[in-house]
Amino acid sequence: MTKISPILLSGFCLLFLGSCAEPYSARIKAPELTVVNSTGETIDRIVERSCDANDDSNDRVLARELKTGRSLVIPLAVTCSNLEAFNKEGRVVGRQAEVSTPPDLYWQIY
């Protein structure tokens, strides 16, 4: 009977364990905005504008018809944005200026 050297046995063990391992890739979570409507009225729309935008031509509507007492989670597309919430009459009921996006952002509108 032949003996297997400890070095050879260790090599086989490492090969076996290496074949079982799954590749790991670090994923960075996309920034999200959680909005809570505590105004007592329905928010008609929430609009996002990039901080470096000069006009409203590239505004993005993030949400429509957010009823009072409700919340929603919205993915954010830019790293710095100005956010505005409007009621049905077009009046601004909430505003966040120059928001830098960490992984998660919470905005409660009163």
Side-chain angles (χ1 to χ4, degrees), residues 21-97:
E22 293 182 25
Y24 174 77
S25 67
R27 289 189 187 178
I28 297 174
K29 185 176 181 263
E32 293 179 339
L33 169 66
T34 301
V35 180
V36 179
N37 181 1
S38 299
T39 63
E41 62 182 313
T42 298
I43 292 176
D44 182 59
R45 67 190 181 284
I46 298 172
V47 178
E48 173 189 53
R49 178 181 299 160
S50 174
C51 290
D52 57 358
N54 295 328
D55 57 22
D56 61 358
S57 62
N58 291 322
D59 285 4
R60 181 176 146 214
V61 176
L62 297 177
R64 291 200 178 272
E65 296 291 320
L66 180 59
K67 297 190 182 303
T68 186
R70 300 285 176 106
S71 65
L72 68 125
V73 177
I74 306 165
L76 292 177
V78 295
T79 57
C80 180
S81 56
N82 295 309
L83 306 170
E84 291 183 323
F86 297 89
N87 67 7
K88 290 189 183 283
E89 290 78 39
R91 186 173 47 93
V92 175
V93 293
R95 181 177 284 141
Q96 292 285 331

